[in-house]
Amino acid sequence: MYQNNQYQNSHYQGQYRGEYQGQGNQYQGNQHQTNQPQYSYSQNPQNNRRNVRKKSLLIGINYEGQSHALQGCRQDVRNMSQFLVTRGYPTDERSMVIMADDRKDAFYPSGHNILAAMDWLVSEPQCQCFLHYSGHGGLVKDPDGDRDSGFDSTIVPVDYETQGQLDSDLLHRHLVSKLPSSSTLFVVFDCCHSGSAIELPFVYRTDSDGNVNLMDNLKQGLHLMQTAQHLLQGGFTRDKVGDAKQLFAGAQSFFQGLKHRAEPQQEGLGEEHFMEDWKNEGKSVFMFSGCRDDQTSADATISGVHVGAMSWALLETLYSRPELTYVGVLQNTRQLLLGRYKQVPQLSVGTQVNLEQPLHI
């Protein structure tokens, strides 16, 4: 049912975190179910900014037993939880929720449970919130028509085969639109096609070290077009035409990206364009994503341990260089991946802000 969208790359020590493209499968679950998962809420949220409450939601899905299983996602959230403890995040049940596909009930990462947990995360004022998702990312048809590629980015719950994927518009409404103005949200998405996975209106653009080679993208776009053409050889069927359209749209996205990268570009915050006018929300949201929308993220083996390449590089940076700014963290994370992985991590934000200030999680 879902197209295998793997690209061969000898540098990858694992597979990609995105097998799902363009099936038009937005989330089909009932968001108004009465049996909502129960997460613990603070009875006395802090009103003093100096004593801001810290909350975290960590989601790791290995898709164990499924055809597109991953290996490092649950390890990613274990690693991230250990890091957050060093930054003062409490681990009690009202402050940290860990979801994984080896857990049960409310902590099983179905689409319904993920949305409920996201609502819990951003439910209180005066909070510093942290979200880490490690799993598959995908693409579904863009219903608004505001994407050049024709597709929205998604994350892939464990029950995606029956309930569909969680698209970027839905994620924005649950995470960003619902965030109280007095709270802050820090997001890490280690999955494919994740550059605009929650549709933040501003992205940090740079052509400094860390960008992928132009020729690599050109070859990748040509490969998609050739695959689409081969698919149609030998006769037309409804399924073949549908798959070919998805491949051609993917190629269009690659070449559109090349066009923009060839244009003169000033380093700094640039505005993204979505159908909704998200920039007027002015929410304090910061997101590091594993790659651009037209790229894949690696499920890797590093030092004998299965992890996400981007999660590993980000944690290495945060542990070793705690004094870095937001931009410094982005650049150092890119440097750690450069030469080993083609993915280029992205930094996007909910409002225009000085990203040369130190990053405090």
Side-chain angles (χ1 to χ4, degrees), residues 307-340:
V307 291
M310 182 269 186
S311 292
W312 164 80
L314 179 64
L315 283 172
E316 285 286 309
T317 298
L318 294 175
Y319 273 122
S320 63
R321 304 286 302 277
E323 79 287 355
L324 288 178
T325 64
Y326 286 89
V327 173
V329 169
L330 175 68
Q331 292 174 335
N332 198 76
T333 300
R334 287 178 170 181
Q335 283 296 317
L336 289 174
L337 296 174
L338 188 64
R340 290 188 269 187

Side-chain angles (χ1 to χ4, degrees), residues 24-28 31 111 114-115 118 137-144 146-147 151-157 163-175 189 193 196-199 276 278:
N25 287 31
Q26 280 94 347
Y27 184 62
Q28 300 299 316
Q31 298 174 39
I114 287 174
L115 291 177
M118 288 178 173
L139 298 168
V140 297
K141 280 190 175 181
D142 168 28
D144 300 323
D146 56 0
R147 299 293 190 101
F151 297 103
D152 278 346
S153 300
T154 68
I155 62 173
V156 183
Q163 298 301 317
Q165 305 168 43
L166 305 180
D167 65 80
S168 53
D169 180 86
L170 181 65
L171 293 174
H172 182 102
R173 294 180 189 281
H174 278 265
L175 288 169
F189 269 20
H193 314 298
S196 59
I198 60 172
E199 297 193 1
E276 299 81 359
W278 298 136

Side-chain angles (χ1 to χ4, degrees), residues 4-25:
N4 188 325
N5 192 33
Q6 292 188 0
Y7 304 104
Q8 299 303 314
N9 177 357
S10 60
H11 293 292
Y12 284 93
Q13 301 300 312
Q15 66 186 94
Y16 297 104
R17 293 185 163 187
E19 310 289 343
Y20 317 98
Q21 178 172 343
Q23 296 298 324
N25 287 31

Side-chain angles (χ1 to χ4, degrees), residues 165-333:
Q165 305 168 43
L166 305 180
D167 65 80
S168 53
D169 180 86
L170 181 65
L171 293 174
H172 182 102
R173 294 180 189 281
H174 278 265
L175 288 169
V176 184
S177 297
K178 290 186 176 183
L179 181 75
S181 58
S182 61
S183 294
T184 298
L185 174 62
F186 191 95
V187 181
V188 178
F189 269 20
D190 192 355
C191 58
C192 296
H193 314 298
S194 53
S196 59
I198 60 172
E199 297 193 1
L200 292 179
F202 301 98
V203 60
Y204 186 84
R205 304 188 189 281
T206 176
D207 56 5
S208 57
D209 292 342
N211 281 339
V212 296
N213 183 273
L214 185 67
M215 185 57 65
D216 290 335
N217 276 287
L218 182 60
K219 289 178 179 178
Q220 204 165 24
L222 289 172
H223 172 72
L224 281 174
M225 293 192 70
Q226 291 167 356
T227 303
Q229 290 167 351
H230 290 319
L231 186 65
L232 294 178
Q233 291 177 357
F236 291 83
T237 67
R238 183 175 181 179
D239 289 341
K240 279 188 175 183
V241 171
D243 290 343
K245 284 182 178 179
Q246 293 156 22
L247 288 167
F248 280 126
Q252 180 186 22
S253 179
F254 278 116
F255 292 126
Q256 187 75 17
L258 293 183
K259 173 185 175 183
H260 291 319
R261 281 194 292 278
E263 297 170 352
Q265 174 171 285
Q266 184 175 1
E267 182 170 343
L269 277 182
E271 185 176 337
E272 293 283 64
H273 299 283
F274 301 102
M275 181 68 70
E276 299 81 359
D277 196 9
W278 298 136
K279 65 179 181 293
N280 287 333
E281 289 180 317
K283 297 300 179 68
S284 182
V285 182
F286 304 84
M287 176 176 175
F288 283 91
S289 50
C291 59
R292 296 195 311 261
D293 284 343
D294 63 355
Q295 289 184 316
T296 52
S297 293
D299 194 48
T301 301
I302 299 175
S303 301
V305 179
H306 295 296
V307 291
M310 182 269 186
S311 292
W312 164 80
L314 179 64
L315 283 172
E316 285 286 309
T317 298
L318 294 175
Y319 273 122
S320 63
R321 304 286 302 277
E323 79 287 355
L324 288 178
T325 64
Y326 286 89
V327 173
V329 169
L330 175 68
Q331 292 174 335
N332 198 76
T333 300

